[in-house]
Amino acid sequence: MKFKSIISAAILGSTAPSAFALAGESSPEPSRHIMNFDDVELSALIADVSTVTGYTFIVHPDARTKRVTVSSSTPLTKEQVFDVFLSALRVHGFTAVPAGKSTYRIVPERQAVSEAGMASGGANAFTTEIFALKHSSARDVAAAIKPLIAQEGQIVPNNASNTLVIVDYASNLPRLRAMLKQLDSDPSITQTISLKNIPAREMAGILTSLSVPPGENAYAVNFQAVSSDTGNAVVLQGDEALVRRAIDVSRELDSHDRTDDTLRVIPLNNANAVDLVPVLQQMAIAMDVRRAAGGENLTTTTIAHHEPTNSLVISAPPETLSALERIITDLDRRRAQVLVEAIIVEMSDDTARELGLQFLVSGSNDSTVPFVSTNYSRSAPSMLALAGALSSDTPFNNGTTDTNPFAEAAINSLLGLSGLSVGVGGQNGDTLFGAILTAVENDTQSRILSKPFNMTLDNGTSSLLVGQEVPVATGEVLGNSNTNPFRTVERKKIGVGLDVTPRISNDGTIRMDITQEVSNIAQSIATGTSTDLIFNTRTISTSVIADDGEIVVLGGLVQQTETKTSEKVPLLGDIPVAGRLFRSEGKGMGRTNLMVFIRPTIVRDRDDARKATTRSYRYLRAQELWDGEEDSGKSLDNFVNQVLGSPPPQ
């Protein structure tokens, strides 16, 4: 109903007597209009402006209650009429928002702010613009210009990118741009201080700590101190007052003459004092020789280390001492770490098929039936062993079966059966007969996935082994009459092992010397009184270069083997169709796919280490949740809290 009433008001306004008067109707120039509205409803003004401009307006219900007064003494063009109309809307808290071709929505200003576009729609239209500040703080500038923005306009500072997002009338943006240009000017100056006694890096740290408190925004303070170790100087940049104060402080601190200061104890944070002593001694010898060549009195430089506190104790002339301090500062840096993750994937598929027929016909006692038999080495059970166990006409038969070795052999062959075995046999008078058909099909698939990983320092070596120590006999002595038997045993480590030495280059690549091994027990072989073991071993020793976080393949094996065996009776086994009765066939096929992948990740600081730890911890927690162990009271989070007394990685 409200929508219909608005349309009706617009139609009535268009048919009512217009408050516009045409000026210069006989002139060939574009039509001009004189506006005269005295305390009329805003809907009437909207209807007349729609008639003059040809624009379609969709009016907000709140606009019906407003009354406006507009008068002009000079003729206006159609564009000028529309600008005056937008100004009248702005006075009463409304604005026109484009909604299509020649179509506008008249809405309150507070609603138009959220719909303001990046392109200007006229001086009286809300426009969004982003200002990037280079020198001033976005938060401070936003507080300074907030009173200059329209009541319904908005200004949002972004401290992370030091930018301002401003939504305001397009007519007000030029003034804001000019003010921002003045506020964001660079008031900083640059000065260089040469130091004689204090190292430049130490002085830069002191001045930065005094001028920029911890946690303070650098844009707000506008001060920076950069050390130059080559010339032992500090470059200062910032506000003039801060730079002048820093110069006074540095001169006062550097005024102390360290000519007599020849002894220094330097604690190390990251480097090992034992490793630095040889390097520093070589440099000190070179500097002592250079001073002696210049005619100076030769003073020997002494360098020692204190292992419990990881400190260096240096006694040297002031020039040598200052140079050694700079070398120590460069070498005593936090070394990056490398997380090396390896993925070992091994998939195998083995199939085997066997089909064979054995038969036996033999006479016993005084029978004249000839002996005929087929027996194949790959077939089980043994036909001859079964016949010997059933026959009573054997040299081992004394009325009992305990001393018949054929009976034991027959039982062993029956225990080794696999697949399908169908047979028939018996004794008819003095004739012994039997036949066995065997059919076997075997299919074995395996997928082994291992993920060893370790973390080590740059240029450090790390070793990881997850496995067992297996005893392997290396010698055995029984002695005469077994008087002093003994056996020597060596233990062999088997399992998944990873040895890696990473080296980080200046371009961010990582060179790795890698030795990766996977070993396990294949089978055992009984030899006399001892048992020997056969091991499967897969080893890769290589050096590779990889980018940070890149997965590279180290090596692998793709192998396929096919084996065919056939045992047959000569001539009879070659007869078509019927020859199947006189032969045994087997076929085997094996496929092995082995691949080893590796991914190095550089861990430079605390945040990188926390991310790597959290990723591995989340993987374990996900497995725990998948297995439904969250409610058991023995979750990994509870274990970490109870044992380590700290919250788990998040």
Side-chain angles (χ1 to χ4, degrees):
M1 294 300 293
K2 290 184 177 180
F3 182 76
K4 291 182 178 180
S5 61
I6 294 173
I7 297 178
S8 301
I11 295 176
L12 290 175
S14 62
T15 57
S18 176
F20 285 95
L22 293 176
E25 294 182 359
S26 61
S27 175
E29 296 181 359
S31 300
R32 294 177 175 270
H33 309 271
I34 298 176
M35 302 180 64
N36 287 298
F37 294 89
D38 185 11
D39 193 25
V40 299
E41 291 185 355
L42 182 58
S43 58
L45 175 63
I46 294 172
D48 287 349
V49 171
S50 177
T51 302
V52 172
T53 60
Y55 297 154
T56 301
F57 298 103
I58 303 173
V59 185
H60 193 275
D62 294 344
R64 298 167 54 192
T65 61
K66 303 295 182 180
R67 304 186 69 85
V68 297
T69 298
V70 179
S71 61
S72 64
S73 58
T74 57
L76 305 174
T77 63
K78 182 177 70 172
E79 290 75 14
Q80 292 174 338
V81 168
F82 187 66
D83 289 340
V84 172
F85 171 67
L86 294 178
S87 299
L89 293 177
R90 180 175 175 180
V91 170
H92 292 83
F94 291 87
T95 187
V97 178
K101 185 177 181 180
S102 301
T103 304
Y104 293 87
R105 292 187 295 110
I106 298 177
V107 296
E109 289 180 338
R110 61 181 180 275
Q111 182 177 342
V113 169
S114 61
E115 303 178 6
M118 300 295 293
S120 176
N124 294 290
F126 276 107
T127 304
T128 303
E129 190 163 344
I130 301 175
F131 297 90
L133 305 181
K134 298 180 179 179
H135 308 289
S136 302
S137 171
R139 182 181 56 189
D140 297 339
V141 173
I145 66 174
K146 176 64 176 176
L148 304 179
I149 296 179
Q151 182 177 0
E152 298 296 339
Q154 291 185 2
I155 178 170
V156 180
N158 188 340
N159 293 328
S161 59
N162 202 43
T163 56
L164 290 175
V165 180
I166 299 178
V167 181
D168 200 359
Y169 284 104
S171 60
N172 194 35
L173 289 177
R175 182 178 64 158
L176 295 178
R177 293 192 195 98
M179 293 190 63
L180 289 174
K181 185 177 180 180
Q182 295 180 3
L183 292 174
D184 195 36
S185 60
D186 186 8
S188 61
I189 62 174
T190 302
Q191 292 287 340
T192 303
I193 306 173
S194 298
L195 303 175
K196 297 181 179 180
N197 301 305
I198 298 181
R201 187 168 299 182
E202 180 181 349
M203 180 63 75
I206 294 173
L207 298 178
T208 302
S209 300
L210 291 174
S211 302
V212 183
E216 187 68 26
N217 192 339
Y219 291 105
V221 178
N222 192 20
F223 179 82
Q224 190 175 13
V226 181
S227 63
S228 175
D229 296 335
T230 304
N232 197 33
V234 177
V235 180
L236 304 176
Q237 185 180 30
D239 292 337
E240 184 176 0
L242 293 176
V243 172
R244 298 302 178 192
R245 187 178 67 175
I247 293 175
D248 296 339
V249 172
S250 60
R251 286 176 178 173
E252 183 176 354
L253 293 176
D254 195 47
S255 61
H256 175 61
D257 189 3
R258 300 201 305 177
T259 303
D260 299 331
D261 188 3
T262 60
L263 183 63
R264 188 66 52 85
V265 177
I266 305 175
L268 302 179
N269 297 320
N270 301 289
N272 191 346
V274 179
D275 298 335
L276 289 187
V277 168
V279 178
L280 298 177
Q281 286 178 342
Q282 293 181 7
M283 301 305 300
I285 292 173
M287 287 184 281
D288 290 342
V289 172
R290 187 167 57 250
R291 288 201 318 274
E296 300 183 17
N297 294 329
L298 182 59
T299 303
T300 304
T301 300
T302 304
I303 303 174
H305 72 278
H306 185 241
E307 189 171 355
T309 59
N310 194 36
S311 302
L312 293 171
V313 182
I314 303 176
S315 175
E319 297 82 2
T320 303
L321 187 61
S322 179
L324 293 179
E325 285 181 339
R326 291 196 295 270
I327 295 175
I328 293 171
T329 301
D330 291 336
L331 296 179
D332 188 29
R333 295 180 178 178
R334 175 172 176 168
R335 293 165 61 187
Q337 302 178 89
V338 179
L339 175 64
V340 181
E341 300 171 281
I343 299 178
I344 306 167
V345 182
E346 182 177 358
M347 295 179 289
S348 62
D349 185 6
D350 299 326
T351 59
R353 296 177 182 176
E354 292 186 10
L355 178 64
L357 176 65
Q358 302 177 80
F359 63 88
L360 179 144
V361 177
S362 174
S364 61
N365 298 325
D366 297 330
S367 175
T368 59
V369 176
F371 173 80
V372 180
S373 174
T374 59
N375 189 35
Y376 306 110
S377 60
R378 294 176 54 87
S379 300
S382 175
M383 195 69 196
L384 295 178
L386 292 176
L390 294 176
S391 176
S392 59
D393 185 15
T394 63
F396 304 99
N397 190 3
N398 57 0
T400 63
T401 59
D402 296 338
T403 59
N404 187 352
F406 292 106
E408 183 178 355
I411 293 174
N412 291 333
S413 64
L414 290 173
L415 293 177
L417 287 178
S418 61
L420 175 65
S421 297
V422 179
V424 62
Q427 188 171 3
N428 185 8
D430 293 335
T431 303
L432 187 68
F433 64 91
I436 297 177
L437 175 67
T438 58
V440 180
E441 181 175 356
N442 186 21
D443 190 355
T444 303
Q445 294 181 348
S446 64
R447 181 175 183 266
I448 302 174
L449 179 64
S450 303
K451 183 182 175 294
F453 63 93
N454 51 11
M455 184 180 291
T456 180
L457 288 173
D458 181 23
N459 285 313
T461 301
S462 176
S463 298
L464 179 143
L465 175 63
V466 180
Q468 296 175 320
E469 288 189 351
V470 179
V472 179
T474 58
E476 185 177 18
V477 177
L478 298 178
N480 296 329
S481 301
N482 200 19
T483 56
N484 186 23
F486 68 90
R487 177 184 298 176
T488 59
V489 176
E490 178 184 351
R491 296 191 176 272
K492 177 180 176 62
K493 295 180 179 180
I494 63 171
V496 179
L498 177 64
D499 296 345
V500 60
T501 302
R503 296 177 178 86
I504 303 176
S505 305
N506 293 328
D507 58 357
T509 59
I510 306 169
R511 173 188 170 91
M512 294 175 290
D513 298 329
I514 301 170
T515 300
Q516 195 277 321
E517 179 178 340
V518 179
S519 58
N520 63 309
I521 299 176
Q523 61 183 2
S524 60
I525 301 177
T527 58
T529 59
S530 62
T531 302
D532 293 335
L533 301 177
I534 298 178
F535 296 93
N536 290 331
T537 303
R538 296 166 290 279
T539 304
I540 296 177
S541 296
T542 183
S543 297
V544 297
I545 296 178
D547 292 326
D548 182 17
E550 179 188 15
I551 298 177
V552 296
V553 61
L554 291 186
L557 171 68
V558 179
Q559 181 181 14
Q560 179 172 333
T561 59
E562 185 174 352
T563 305
K564 293 183 179 180
T565 60
S566 178
E567 295 179 274
K568 61 183 178 179
V569 177
L571 299 179
L572 296 178
D574 297 329
I575 299 174
V577 182
R580 298 288 301 179
L581 301 175
F582 300 95
R583 66 174 181 261
S584 174
E585 293 180 344
K587 181 179 180 181
M589 180 178 293
R591 295 190 185 93
T592 301
N593 293 329
L594 172 65
M595 291 291 173
V596 179
F597 304 90
I598 197 164
R599 182 180 75 167
T601 303
I602 300 177
V603 180
R604 298 188 182 275
D605 50 27
R606 181 184 302 175
D607 292 338
D608 292 343
R610 184 174 62 251
K611 291 177 182 178
T613 303
T614 301
R615 178 163 55 86
S616 298
Y617 188 86
R618 284 179 177 174
Y619 175 76
L620 295 178
R621 287 288 291 125
Q623 282 190 328
E624 194 175 56
L625 294 174
W626 180 264
D627 295 336
E629 299 178 0
E630 177 67 19
D631 299 331
S632 63
K634 300 179 181 179
S635 65
L636 186 59
D637 288 346
N638 294 334
F639 181 79
V640 172
N641 281 325
Q642 294 173 4
V643 176
L644 300 181
S646 62
Q650 299 294 334

